[in-house]
Amino acid sequence: MFRFMLADCECGVEMDKIFEQALLYDFYGELLTEHQRNVYEDAVFNDMSLGEIAAEQGISRQGVHDLIRRCDKILLGYESKLHLVARFSAAKHKLGEIVSLTNGPQSGDSLKRIRELSMEVMEEL
């Protein structure tokens, strides 16, 4: 789907999860309740501990943990049904290829490929 890895870094897996959470939240976060958004933002974007969030929200650490997991599941559920992040990632990749092709020497093959990629992006929108 959409993965981000830091080469030779032990934190790569954690960064991958945070990147995925942030991307899903960017697309579907508004569909969460205000309470879910507040807790999720504190955990993912503000890097607050479960204890800090629990104290701020007046709920238990376990409640915070469960809510974050539930939000992850909700956001992944929206993506599995709507595929907005996957389509965005595919379009971004194709546009990057178009940029690369336009920066190089122009030939009939590169112009043909640019047209193909442009049509694919337009069909996805």
Side-chain angles (χ1 to χ4, degrees), residues 30-49:
E30 288 298 314
L31 300 173
L32 298 173
T33 67
E34 183 177 352
H35 178 66
Q36 289 171 327
R37 282 194 310 270
N38 290 338
V39 170
Y40 202 77
E41 287 174 7
D42 283 345
V44 176
F45 299 115
N46 300 331
D47 198 29
M48 292 174 64
S49 70

Side-chain angles (χ1 to χ4, degrees), residues 91 94-95 115-125:
K94 289 172 185 171
L95 291 171
R115 276 193 287 282
E116 289 171 358
L117 290 167
S118 298
M119 292 304 296
E120 289 174 17
V121 169
M122 288 183 60
E123 287 174 12
E124 291 175 4
L125 301 176

Side-chain angles (χ1 to χ4, degrees), residues 93-110:
H93 175 75
K94 289 172 185 171
L95 291 171
E97 189 176 340
I98 289 171
V99 169
S100 294
L101 289 167
T102 58
N103 287 334
Q106 301 300 307
S107 69
D109 288 340
S110 64

